[in-house]
Amino acid sequence: MPVIKRYSGNPILTKDDVPYEVATVHNAGAVKFGDKYMLLFRSHLFNGRSVIGIAESTNGYDFKVHPEPFMIPSDEGEFKLYEEYGVEDPRITFIDNEYLITYSAYSRYGVRIGLAKTRDFKKAERYALITEADYRNVVIFPEKFNGLYVRLDRPHSEISPWSIWISYSPDLKYWGESKVIMRPMKYHWDEMKIGPGAPPIKTPKGWLSIYHGVFPTMDGSVYRLGAALHDLNDPSKILGVSDQWILQPEEIYEITGYVHNVVFTCGAIPEPDGTVKIYWGGADKVMCAGEAVINDLVNLCLNNSREAL
Ligand code: BMA
């Protein structure tokens, strides 16, 4: 039995559901907002640069896209300089009564991570650029630890395989105490690079982190999803990493599209019944959803763990 059950109505969103012209709908951050499910999704425009759209749903599967994008490259201040090539791959965390949105800001200077905030999903207020180049995949924990915000991220490096790091901040702007906590594993499905996916989910046994891992083949890279469990009080400590992937490209809309053989998550929503809805981009072209039992994912991390470092 696959650990993630795909929704039978996949893909849940395509470019045809978007009221403005886009080439793709993928890599959406996801969160509950009151009784609504919200997606902030990435779309390529016809010039190859990305904007972030917004869609809402009452059941987590049938989404309606708003008439206008939620975030387009900024035309103000330093954000303008660093978002010239587009805004991508948003992740959403609810903390301190507001929603934090971390997104990739692309420009001629590389890729940095921007942090924007919203309380109403009508307007995003840019707060700070929280990394230098080149970073991607920043997810913020929905709780503070010893008074500090905590994030996972993935700096680029030519020396070491691209790994998951942790950093801390008193104010969401200045980040430090960084250290590497998880590496790709040699000759393993995630051997080329890994990166945080959905913001971590609290479970009784630890923080569940769904990440992506990449394997190089003669036919290009394959993006899959995996799971890791972090200590409840010290998220830099990894309690286990599932040896096996939890999702791989299998359906036609994951195998072919804009980039073939990609499942890539930026968001998952835990439900009160112990399940989690996981959202992923299929082949960088469409949005898909599925469901898993949280305990099954936790057990994969604890019972059949590979080394984290
Ligand atoms: C990564 C990012 C993602 C994308 C993935 C697969 O490097 O660019 O946004 O989904 O590649 O193309």
Side-chain angles (χ1 to χ4, degrees):
M1 258 285 278
V3 64
I4 297 178
K5 206 167 125 227
R6 283 178 175 78
Y7 174 59
S8 58
N10 275 348
I12 56 166
L13 276 183
T14 74
K15 65 183 170 58
D16 299 331
D17 300 311
V18 181
Y20 43 96
E21 265 205 318
V22 295
T24 65
V25 174
H26 63 299
N27 298 2
V31 81
K32 268 282 194 69
F33 173 51
D35 55 3
K36 282 186 198 147
Y37 296 78
M38 307 301 293
L39 291 183
L40 294 181
F41 59 86
R42 170 179 173 193
S43 287
H44 286 290
L45 302 177
F46 287 177
N47 62 4
R49 297 184 180 175
S50 295
V51 298
I52 293 172
I54 179 165
E56 63 179 74
S57 163
T58 52
N59 65 6
Y61 294 114
D62 300 307
F63 281 89
K64 191 162 167 39
V65 178
H66 291 196
E68 303 287 338
F70 186 64
M71 290 178 76
I72 58 171
S74 173
D75 58 6
E76 283 173 22
E78 61 166 350
F79 292 99
K80 179 176 178 184
L81 188 63
Y82 294 106
E83 295 180 11
E84 178 191 13
Y85 294 168
V87 286
E88 306 186 352
D89 297 2
R91 272 86 171 183
I92 315 165
T93 295
F94 182 64
I95 186 167
D96 299 341
N97 272 321
E98 54 189 2
Y99 294 87
L100 307 179
I101 303 156
T102 48
Y103 61 96
S104 303
Y106 267 78
S107 74
R108 66 186 67 192
Y109 305 110
V111 51
R112 306 180 64 178
I113 299 298
L115 174 67
K117 300 182 178 187
T118 189
R119 282 176 189 263
D120 55 11
F121 284 97
K122 291 193 178 117
K123 198 167 168 279
E125 283 178 29
R126 282 170 172 80
Y127 177 70
L129 287 153
I130 60 171
T131 70
E132 56 188 300
D134 278 301
Y135 279 73
R136 293 183 48 90
N137 308 312
V138 170
V139 299
I140 297 178
F141 282 78
E143 282 182 18
K144 288 187 186 174
F145 298 82
N146 300 323
L148 297 174
Y149 296 96
V150 181
R151 81 177 195 212
L152 304 177
D153 62 40
R154 211 284 310 285
H156 287 229
S157 164
E158 297 305 329
I159 299 172
S160 138
W162 299 348
S163 306
I164 295 178
W165 289 62
I166 195 164
S167 296
Y168 301 82
S169 172
D171 57 5
L172 291 171
K173 190 168 183 184
Y174 298 99
W175 294 84
E177 291 179 32
S178 307
K179 62 178 179 182
V180 63
I181 56 170
M182 192 171 141
R183 276 163 49 92
M185 189 175 201
K186 201 72 199 154
Y187 216 77
H188 194 250
W189 65 268
D190 65 6
E191 83 161 358
M192 185 177 160
K193 55 177 177 172
I194 57 174
I201 291 166
K202 194 173 195 179
T203 80
K205 291 187 181 158
W207 289 95
L208 176 67
S209 160
I210 301 174
Y211 70 99
H212 66 262
V214 186
F215 189 81
T217 76
M218 294 304 286
D219 185 33
S221 307
V222 181
Y223 276 73
R224 298 186 174 96
L225 301 185
L229 199 69
H230 298 236
D231 186 88
L232 275 181
N233 301 316
D234 175 5
S236 73
K237 204 167 132 201
I238 295 195
L239 304 177
V241 184
S242 170
D243 184 61
Q244 64 190 65
W245 63 71
I246 60 167
L247 190 78
Q248 70 158 347
E250 276 172 17
E251 297 295 334
I252 190 76
Y253 47 80
E254 297 161 343
I255 291 169
T256 78
Y258 187 81
V259 179
H260 65 273
N261 287 327
V262 175
V263 292
F264 191 96
T265 189
C266 293
I269 298 181
E271 299 286 12
D273 67 358
T275 62
V276 56
K277 288 189 175 63
I278 302 170
Y279 297 90
W280 64 90
D284 284 0
K285 193 167 178 196
V286 298
M287 270 313 295
C288 309
E291 197 184 272
V293 175
I294 292 176
N295 242 332
D296 291 350
L297 298 174
V298 169
N299 288 338
L300 275 179
C301 298
L302 293 177
N303 299 342
N304 188 17
S305 178
R306 59 98 154 167
E307 278 181 355
L309 280 171

PDB file of all heavy atoms in Angstrom, residues 137-167:
ATOM      1  N   ASN A 137      14.199  26.959  -0.638  1.00  0.00           N
ATOM      2  CA  ASN A 137      13.481  26.009   0.227  1.00  0.00           C
ATOM      3  C   ASN A 137      13.537  26.373   1.717  1.00  0.00           C
ATOM      4  O   ASN A 137      13.910  25.545   2.552  1.00  0.00           O
ATOM      5  CB  ASN A 137      14.050  24.589   0.051  1.00  0.00           C
ATOM      6  CG  ASN A 137      14.117  24.159  -1.389  1.00  0.00           C
ATOM      7  OD1 ASN A 137      13.153  24.314  -2.120  1.00  0.00           O
ATOM      8  ND2 ASN A 137      15.251  23.632  -1.799  1.00  0.00           N
ATOM      9  N   VAL A 138      13.181  27.591   2.060  1.00  0.00           N
ATOM     10  CA  VAL A 138      13.135  27.956   3.481  1.00  0.00           C
ATOM     11  C   VAL A 138      11.749  27.644   4.045  1.00  0.00           C
ATOM     12  O   VAL A 138      10.735  28.112   3.509  1.00  0.00           O
ATOM     13  CB  VAL A 138      13.470  29.441   3.682  1.00  0.00           C
ATOM     14  CG1 VAL A 138      13.170  29.867   5.119  1.00  0.00           C
ATOM     15  CG2 VAL A 138      14.940  29.700   3.369  1.00  0.00           C
ATOM     16  N   VAL A 139      11.726  26.850   5.116  1.00  0.00           N
ATOM     17  CA  VAL A 139      10.462  26.590   5.828  1.00  0.00           C
ATOM     18  C   VAL A 139      10.648  27.006   7.281  1.00  0.00           C
ATOM     19  O   VAL A 139      11.683  26.736   7.887  1.00  0.00           O
ATOM     20  CB  VAL A 139      10.024  25.104   5.749  1.00  0.00           C
ATOM     21  CG1 VAL A 139       9.805  24.677   4.302  1.00  0.00           C
ATOM     22  CG2 VAL A 139      11.010  24.164   6.417  1.00  0.00           C
ATOM     23  N   ILE A 140       9.641  27.689   7.830  1.00  0.00           N
ATOM     24  CA  ILE A 140       9.714  28.168   9.217  1.00  0.00           C
ATOM     25  C   ILE A 140       8.813  27.293  10.086  1.00  0.00           C
ATOM     26  O   ILE A 140       7.674  26.979   9.706  1.00  0.00           O
ATOM     27  CB  ILE A 140       9.305  29.651   9.289  1.00  0.00           C
ATOM     28  CG1 ILE A 140      10.308  30.490   8.478  1.00  0.00           C
ATOM     29  CG2 ILE A 140       9.241  30.133  10.735  1.00  0.00           C
ATOM     30  CD1 ILE A 140       9.998  31.970   8.411  1.00  0.00           C
ATOM     31  N   PHE A 141       9.322  26.888  11.248  1.00  0.00           N
ATOM     32  CA  PHE A 141       8.512  26.101  12.176  1.00  0.00           C
ATOM     33  C   PHE A 141       7.363  26.963  12.711  1.00  0.00           C
ATOM     34  O   PHE A 141       7.543  28.159  12.952  1.00  0.00           O
ATOM     35  CB  PHE A 141       9.362  25.617  13.362  1.00  0.00           C
ATOM     36  CG  PHE A 141      10.234  24.433  13.042  1.00  0.00           C
ATOM     37  CD1 PHE A 141      11.423  24.591  12.342  1.00  0.00           C
ATOM     38  CD2 PHE A 141       9.867  23.156  13.448  1.00  0.00           C
ATOM     39  CE1 PHE A 141      12.224  23.494  12.038  1.00  0.00           C
ATOM     40  CE2 PHE A 141      10.661  22.057  13.153  1.00  0.00           C
ATOM     41  CZ  PHE A 141      11.839  22.216  12.448  1.00  0.00           C
ATOM     42  N   PRO A 142       6.199  26.353  12.969  1.00  0.00           N
ATOM     43  CA  PRO A 142       5.051  27.134  13.456  1.00  0.00           C
ATOM     44  C   PRO A 142       5.099  27.432  14.952  1.00  0.00           C
ATOM     45  O   PRO A 142       4.128  27.943  15.499  1.00  0.00           O
ATOM     46  CB  PRO A 142       3.853  26.233  13.109  1.00  0.00           C
ATOM     47  CG  PRO A 142       4.410  24.861  13.014  1.00  0.00           C
ATOM     48  CD  PRO A 142       5.846  24.968  12.621  1.00  0.00           C
ATOM     49  N   GLU A 143       6.213  27.119  15.622  1.00  0.00           N
ATOM     50  CA  GLU A 143       6.379  27.477  17.044  1.00  0.00           C
ATOM     51  C   GLU A 143       7.785  28.014  17.241  1.00  0.00           C
ATOM     52  O   GLU A 143       8.697  27.657  16.497  1.00  0.00           O
ATOM     53  CB  GLU A 143       6.225  26.236  17.935  1.00  0.00           C
ATOM     54  CG  GLU A 143       4.798  25.823  18.141  1.00  0.00           C
ATOM     55  CD  GLU A 143       4.670  24.606  19.066  1.00  0.00           C
ATOM     56  OE1 GLU A 143       5.625  24.285  19.803  1.00  0.00           O
ATOM     57  OE2 GLU A 143       3.607  23.973  19.002  1.00  0.00           O
ATOM     58  N   LYS A 144       7.952  28.825  18.324  1.00  0.00           N
ATOM     59  CA  LYS A 144       9.297  29.276  18.667  1.00  0.00           C
ATOM     60  C   LYS A 144       9.940  28.267  19.614  1.00  0.00           C
ATOM     61  O   LYS A 144       9.241  27.535  20.325  1.00  0.00           O
ATOM     62  CB  LYS A 144       9.223  30.625  19.366  1.00  0.00           C
ATOM     63  CG  LYS A 144       8.858  31.772  18.460  1.00  0.00           C
ATOM     64  CD  LYS A 144       8.998  33.041  19.271  1.00  0.00           C
ATOM     65  CE  LYS A 144       8.538  34.252  18.543  1.00  0.00           C
ATOM     66  NZ  LYS A 144       8.564  35.434  19.427  1.00  0.00           N
ATOM     67  N   PHE A 145      11.269  28.263  19.630  1.00  0.00           N
ATOM     68  CA  PHE A 145      12.022  27.393  20.534  1.00  0.00           C
ATOM     69  C   PHE A 145      12.948  28.294  21.349  1.00  0.00           C
ATOM     70  O   PHE A 145      13.732  29.040  20.760  1.00  0.00           O
ATOM     71  CB  PHE A 145      12.838  26.376  19.741  1.00  0.00           C
ATOM     72  CG  PHE A 145      11.969  25.444  18.912  1.00  0.00           C
ATOM     73  CD1 PHE A 145      11.495  25.856  17.668  1.00  0.00           C
ATOM     74  CD2 PHE A 145      11.605  24.198  19.390  1.00  0.00           C
ATOM     75  CE1 PHE A 145      10.690  25.012  16.909  1.00  0.00           C
ATOM     76  CE2 PHE A 145      10.795  23.357  18.638  1.00  0.00           C
ATOM     77  CZ  PHE A 145      10.335  23.765  17.400  1.00  0.00           C
ATOM     78  N   ASN A 146      12.823  28.250  22.678  1.00  0.00           N
ATOM     79  CA  ASN A 146      13.600  29.135  23.565  1.00  0.00           C
ATOM     80  C   ASN A 146      13.535  30.586  23.083  1.00  0.00           C
ATOM     81  O   ASN A 146      14.541  31.280  23.022  1.00  0.00           O
ATOM     82  CB  ASN A 146      15.063  28.687  23.638  1.00  0.00           C
ATOM     83  CG  ASN A 146      15.175  27.283  24.169  1.00  0.00           C
ATOM     84  OD1 ASN A 146      14.405  26.893  25.056  1.00  0.00           O
ATOM     85  ND2 ASN A 146      16.086  26.504  23.624  1.00  0.00           N
ATOM     86  N   GLY A 147      12.361  31.019  22.688  1.00  0.00           N
ATOM     87  CA  GLY A 147      12.163  32.418  22.291  1.00  0.00           C
ATOM     88  C   GLY A 147      12.633  32.746  20.885  1.00  0.00           C
ATOM     89  O   GLY A 147      12.559  33.904  20.466  1.00  0.00           O
ATOM     90  N   LEU A 148      13.121  31.753  20.132  1.00  0.00           N
ATOM     91  CA  LEU A 148      13.643  32.037  18.793  1.00  0.00           C
ATOM     92  C   LEU A 148      12.789  31.373  17.707  1.00  0.00           C
ATOM     93  O   LEU A 148      12.286  30.263  17.899  1.00  0.00           O
ATOM     94  CB  LEU A 148      15.075  31.515  18.665  1.00  0.00           C
ATOM     95  CG  LEU A 148      16.121  32.149  19.589  1.00  0.00           C
ATOM     96  CD1 LEU A 148      17.455  31.433  19.447  1.00  0.00           C
ATOM     97  CD2 LEU A 148      16.274  33.646  19.284  1.00  0.00           C
ATOM     98  N   TYR A 149      12.664  32.067  16.586  1.00  0.00           N
ATOM     99  CA  TYR A 149      12.089  31.431  15.393  1.00  0.00           C
ATOM    100  C   TYR A 149      13.131  30.456  14.835  1.00  0.00           C
ATOM    101  O   TYR A 149      14.340  30.699  14.957  1.00  0.00           O
ATOM    102  CB  TYR A 149      11.771  32.483  14.326  1.00  0.00           C
ATOM    103  CG  TYR A 149      10.719  33.483  14.744  1.00  0.00           C
ATOM    104  CD1 TYR A 149      11.077  34.722  15.271  1.00  0.00           C
ATOM    105  CD2 TYR A 149       9.367  33.184  14.604  1.00  0.00           C
ATOM    106  CE1 TYR A 149      10.105  35.635  15.655  1.00  0.00           C
ATOM    107  CE2 TYR A 149       8.396  34.101  14.975  1.00  0.00           C
ATOM    108  CZ  TYR A 149       8.773  35.318  15.507  1.00  0.00           C
ATOM    109  OH  TYR A 149       7.817  36.223  15.880  1.00  0.00           O
ATOM    110  N   VAL A 150      12.643  29.419  14.215  1.00  0.00           N
ATOM    111  CA  VAL A 150      13.566  28.414  13.657  1.00  0.00           C
ATOM    112  C   VAL A 150      13.176  28.117  12.217  1.00  0.00           C
ATOM    113  O   VAL A 150      11.988  28.003  11.899  1.00  0.00           O
ATOM    114  CB  VAL A 150      13.516  27.110  14.483  1.00  0.00           C
ATOM    115  CG1 VAL A 150      14.484  26.083  13.916  1.00  0.00           C
ATOM    116  CG2 VAL A 150      13.843  27.392  15.939  1.00  0.00           C
ATOM    117  N   ARG A 151      14.172  28.014  11.376  1.00  0.00           N
ATOM    118  CA  ARG A 151      13.894  27.670   9.978  1.00  0.00           C
ATOM    119  C   ARG A 151      14.833  26.548   9.503  1.00  0.00           C
ATOM    120  O   ARG A 151      15.940  26.373  10.021  1.00  0.00           O
ATOM    121  CB  ARG A 151      14.074  28.895   9.083  1.00  0.00           C
ATOM    122  CG  ARG A 151      15.523  29.159   8.744  1.00  0.00           C
ATOM    123  CD  ARG A 151      15.660  30.336   7.792  1.00  0.00           C
ATOM    124  NE  ARG A 151      16.964  30.392   7.178  1.00  0.00           N
ATOM    125  CZ  ARG A 151      17.573  31.514   6.842  1.00  0.00           C
ATOM    126  NH1 ARG A 151      16.994  32.686   7.046  1.00  0.00           N
ATOM    127  NH2 ARG A 151      18.762  31.487   6.263  1.00  0.00           N
ATOM    128  N   LEU A 152      14.358  25.830   8.502  1.00  0.00           N
ATOM    129  CA  LEU A 152      15.207  24.901   7.754  1.00  0.00           C
ATOM    130  C   LEU A 152      15.431  25.521   6.382  1.00  0.00           C
ATOM    131  O   LEU A 152      14.536  26.198   5.852  1.00  0.00           O
ATOM    132  CB  LEU A 152      14.513  23.543   7.587  1.00  0.00           C
ATOM    133  CG  LEU A 152      14.055  22.838   8.859  1.00  0.00           C
ATOM    134  CD1 LEU A 152      13.324  21.541   8.512  1.00  0.00           C
ATOM    135  CD2 LEU A 152      15.233  22.559   9.782  1.00  0.00           C
ATOM    136  N   ASP A 153      16.594  25.298   5.806  1.00  0.00           N
ATOM    137  CA  ASP A 153      16.829  25.826   4.467  1.00  0.00           C
ATOM    138  C   ASP A 153      17.838  24.974   3.737  1.00  0.00           C
ATOM    139  O   ASP A 153      18.338  23.972   4.263  1.00  0.00           O
ATOM    140  CB  ASP A 153      17.257  27.295   4.509  1.00  0.00           C
ATOM    141  CG  ASP A 153      18.557  27.501   5.249  1.00  0.00           C
ATOM    142  OD1 ASP A 153      19.480  26.684   5.099  1.00  0.00           O
ATOM    143  OD2 ASP A 153      18.663  28.501   5.990  1.00  0.00           O
ATOM    144  N   ARG A 154      18.152  25.374   2.504  1.00  0.00           N
ATOM    145  CA  ARG A 154      19.062  24.592   1.684  1.00  0.00           C
ATOM    146  C   ARG A 154      19.965  25.511   0.868  1.00  0.00           C
ATOM    147  O   ARG A 154      19.619  25.958  -0.224  1.00  0.00           O
ATOM    148  CB  ARG A 154      18.243  23.695   0.761  1.00  0.00           C
ATOM    149  CG  ARG A 154      18.864  22.382   0.380  1.00  0.00           C
ATOM    150  CD  ARG A 154      19.957  22.510  -0.658  1.00  0.00           C
ATOM    151  NE  ARG A 154      19.548  23.282  -1.803  1.00  0.00           N
ATOM    152  CZ  ARG A 154      18.736  22.853  -2.769  1.00  0.00           C
ATOM    153  NH1 ARG A 154      18.258  21.650  -2.752  1.00  0.00           N
ATOM    154  NH2 ARG A 154      18.419  23.650  -3.786  1.00  0.00           N
ATOM    155  N   PRO A 155      21.143  25.833   1.452  1.00  0.00           N
ATOM    156  CA  PRO A 155      22.093  26.626   0.662  1.00  0.00           C
ATOM    157  C   PRO A 155      22.670  25.796  -0.482  1.00  0.00           C
ATOM    158  O   PRO A 155      22.695  24.569  -0.393  1.00  0.00           O
ATOM    159  CB  PRO A 155      23.187  26.960   1.683  1.00  0.00           C
ATOM    160  CG  PRO A 155      23.012  26.020   2.825  1.00  0.00           C
ATOM    161  CD  PRO A 155      21.627  25.461   2.769  1.00  0.00           C
ATOM    162  N   HIS A 156      23.081  26.455  -1.531  1.00  0.00           N
ATOM    163  CA  HIS A 156      23.763  25.749  -2.620  1.00  0.00           C
ATOM    164  C   HIS A 156      25.234  25.601  -2.262  1.00  0.00           C
ATOM    165  O   HIS A 156      25.811  26.480  -1.643  1.00  0.00           O
ATOM    166  CB  HIS A 156      23.720  26.566  -3.917  1.00  0.00           C
ATOM    167  CG  HIS A 156      22.389  26.588  -4.567  1.00  0.00           C
ATOM    168  ND1 HIS A 156      22.211  26.334  -5.892  1.00  0.00           N
ATOM    169  CD2 HIS A 156      21.171  26.845  -4.076  1.00  0.00           C
ATOM    170  CE1 HIS A 156      20.942  26.443  -6.193  1.00  0.00           C
ATOM    171  NE2 HIS A 156      20.283  26.755  -5.104  1.00  0.00           N
ATOM    172  N   SER A 157      25.843  24.520  -2.691  1.00  0.00           N
ATOM    173  CA  SER A 157      27.279  24.386  -2.511  1.00  0.00           C
ATOM    174  C   SER A 157      27.820  23.438  -3.555  1.00  0.00           C
ATOM    175  O   SER A 157      27.212  22.415  -3.850  1.00  0.00           O
ATOM    176  CB  SER A 157      27.598  23.861  -1.118  1.00  0.00           C
ATOM    177  OG  SER A 157      28.923  23.406  -1.083  1.00  0.00           O
ATOM    178  N   GLU A 158      28.955  23.788  -4.112  1.00  0.00           N
ATOM    179  CA  GLU A 158      29.588  22.888  -5.081  1.00  0.00           C
ATOM    180  C   GLU A 158      30.470  21.871  -4.359  1.00  0.00           C
ATOM    181  O   GLU A 158      30.897  20.889  -4.939  1.00  0.00           O
ATOM    182  CB  GLU A 158      30.443  23.700  -6.070  1.00  0.00           C
ATOM    183  CG  GLU A 158      29.662  24.687  -6.924  1.00  0.00           C
ATOM    184  CD  GLU A 158      28.521  24.047  -7.700  1.00  0.00           C
ATOM    185  OE1 GLU A 158      28.640  22.865  -8.075  1.00  0.00           O
ATOM    186  OE2 GLU A 158      27.496  24.722  -7.904  1.00  0.00           O
ATOM    187  N   ILE A 159      30.773  22.113  -3.122  1.00  0.00           N
ATOM    188  CA  ILE A 159      31.730  21.264  -2.409  1.00  0.00           C
ATOM    189  C   ILE A 159      31.031  20.070  -1.771  1.00  0.00           C
ATOM    190  O   ILE A 159      31.411  18.925  -1.935  1.00  0.00           O
ATOM    191  CB  ILE A 159      32.484  22.075  -1.333  1.00  0.00           C
ATOM    192  CG1 ILE A 159      33.252  23.207  -2.012  1.00  0.00           C
ATOM    193  CG2 ILE A 159      33.428  21.185  -0.538  1.00  0.00           C
ATOM    194  CD1 ILE A 159      33.878  24.188  -1.064  1.00  0.00           C
ATOM    195  N   SER A 160      29.948  20.399  -1.036  1.00  0.00           N
ATOM    196  CA  SER A 160      29.240  19.326  -0.351  1.00  0.00           C
ATOM    197  C   SER A 160      27.902  19.134  -1.042  1.00  0.00           C
ATOM    198  O   SER A 160      27.344  20.084  -1.589  1.00  0.00           O
ATOM    199  CB  SER A 160      29.064  19.769   1.097  1.00  0.00           C
ATOM    200  OG  SER A 160      27.800  19.446   1.558  1.00  0.00           O
ATOM    201  N   PRO A 161      27.357  17.912  -1.078  1.00  0.00           N
ATOM    202  CA  PRO A 161      26.015  17.772  -1.677  1.00  0.00           C
ATOM    203  C   PRO A 161      25.032  18.683  -0.959  1.00  0.00           C
ATOM    204  O   PRO A 161      25.152  18.905   0.245  1.00  0.00           O
ATOM    205  CB  PRO A 161      25.667  16.309  -1.451  1.00  0.00           C
ATOM    206  CG  PRO A 161      26.799  15.682  -0.752  1.00  0.00           C
ATOM    207  CD  PRO A 161      27.867  16.693  -0.503  1.00  0.00           C
ATOM    208  N   TRP A 162      24.081  19.203  -1.722  1.00  0.00           N
ATOM    209  CA  TRP A 162      23.171  20.214  -1.188  1.00  0.00           C
ATOM    210  C   TRP A 162      22.322  19.604  -0.080  1.00  0.00           C
ATOM    211  O   TRP A 162      21.574  18.666  -0.311  1.00  0.00           O
ATOM    212  CB  TRP A 162      22.306  20.769  -2.306  1.00  0.00           C
ATOM    213  CG  TRP A 162      23.130  21.426  -3.375  1.00  0.00           C
ATOM    214  CD1 TRP A 162      24.456  21.745  -3.302  1.00  0.00           C
ATOM    215  CD2 TRP A 162      22.689  21.832  -4.659  1.00  0.00           C
ATOM    216  NE1 TRP A 162      24.865  22.329  -4.474  1.00  0.00           N
ATOM    217  CE2 TRP A 162      23.801  22.392  -5.323  1.00  0.00           C
ATOM    218  CE3 TRP A 162      21.469  21.785  -5.316  1.00  0.00           C
ATOM    219  CZ2 TRP A 162      23.722  22.908  -6.605  1.00  0.00           C
ATOM    220  CZ3 TRP A 162      21.396  22.288  -6.602  1.00  0.00           C
ATOM    221  CH2 TRP A 162      22.508  22.853  -7.230  1.00  0.00           C
ATOM    222  N   SER A 163      22.442  20.182   1.118  1.00  0.00           N
ATOM    223  CA  SER A 163      21.935  19.569   2.349  1.00  0.00           C
ATOM    224  C   SER A 163      20.953  20.490   3.057  1.00  0.00           C
ATOM    225  O   SER A 163      20.793  21.647   2.683  1.00  0.00           O
ATOM    226  CB  SER A 163      23.115  19.272   3.279  1.00  0.00           C
ATOM    227  OG  SER A 163      24.078  18.498   2.588  1.00  0.00           O
ATOM    228  N   ILE A 164      20.325  19.957   4.112  1.00  0.00           N
ATOM    229  CA  ILE A 164      19.372  20.754   4.888  1.00  0.00           C
ATOM    230  C   ILE A 164      20.074  21.334   6.116  1.00  0.00           C
ATOM    231  O   ILE A 164      20.744  20.614   6.856  1.00  0.00           O
ATOM    232  CB  ILE A 164      18.146  19.904   5.275  1.00  0.00           C
ATOM    233  CG1 ILE A 164      17.377  19.505   4.006  1.00  0.00           C
ATOM    234  CG2 ILE A 164      17.247  20.661   6.253  1.00  0.00           C
ATOM    235  CD1 ILE A 164      16.163  18.624   4.230  1.00  0.00           C
ATOM    236  N   TRP A 165      19.910  22.632   6.297  1.00  0.00           N
ATOM    237  CA  TRP A 165      20.508  23.366   7.406  1.00  0.00           C
ATOM    238  C   TRP A 165      19.403  23.925   8.295  1.00  0.00           C
ATOM    239  O   TRP A 165      18.252  24.059   7.868  1.00  0.00           O
ATOM    240  CB  TRP A 165      21.369  24.529   6.885  1.00  0.00           C
ATOM    241  CG  TRP A 165      22.637  24.098   6.210  1.00  0.00           C
ATOM    242  CD1 TRP A 165      22.758  23.327   5.083  1.00  0.00           C
ATOM    243  CD2 TRP A 165      23.973  24.409   6.614  1.00  0.00           C
ATOM    244  NE1 TRP A 165      24.085  23.142   4.767  1.00  0.00           N
ATOM    245  CE2 TRP A 165      24.857  23.796   5.691  1.00  0.00           C
ATOM    246  CE3 TRP A 165      24.527  25.144   7.668  1.00  0.00           C
ATOM    247  CZ2 TRP A 165      26.249  23.901   5.793  1.00  0.00           C
ATOM    248  CZ3 TRP A 165      25.906  25.256   7.768  1.00  0.00           C
ATOM    249  CH2 TRP A 165      26.756  24.629   6.841  1.00  0.00           C
ATOM    250  N   ILE A 166      19.796  24.300   9.529  1.00  0.00           N
ATOM    251  CA  ILE A 166      18.857  24.943  10.451  1.00  0.00           C
ATOM    252  C   ILE A 166      19.450  26.286  10.885  1.00  0.00           C
ATOM    253  O   ILE A 166      20.677  26.416  10.977  1.00  0.00           O
ATOM    254  CB  ILE A 166      18.588  24.022  11.675  1.00  0.00           C
ATOM    255  CG1 ILE A 166      17.369  24.468  12.459  1.00  0.00           C
ATOM    256  CG2 ILE A 166      19.811  23.912  12.600  1.00  0.00           C
ATOM    257  CD1 ILE A 166      16.838  23.408  13.421  1.00  0.00           C
ATOM    258  N   SER A 167      18.597  27.290  11.096  1.00  0.00           N
ATOM    259  CA  SER A 167      19.037  28.597  11.601  1.00  0.00           C
ATOM    260  C   SER A 167      17.985  29.157  12.542  1.00  0.00           C
ATOM    261  O   SER A 167      16.817  28.747  12.498  1.00  0.00           O
ATOM    262  CB  SER A 167      19.228  29.606  10.467  1.00  0.00           C
ATOM    263  OG  SER A 167      20.249  29.221   9.603  1.00  0.00           O
TER     264      SER A 167
END
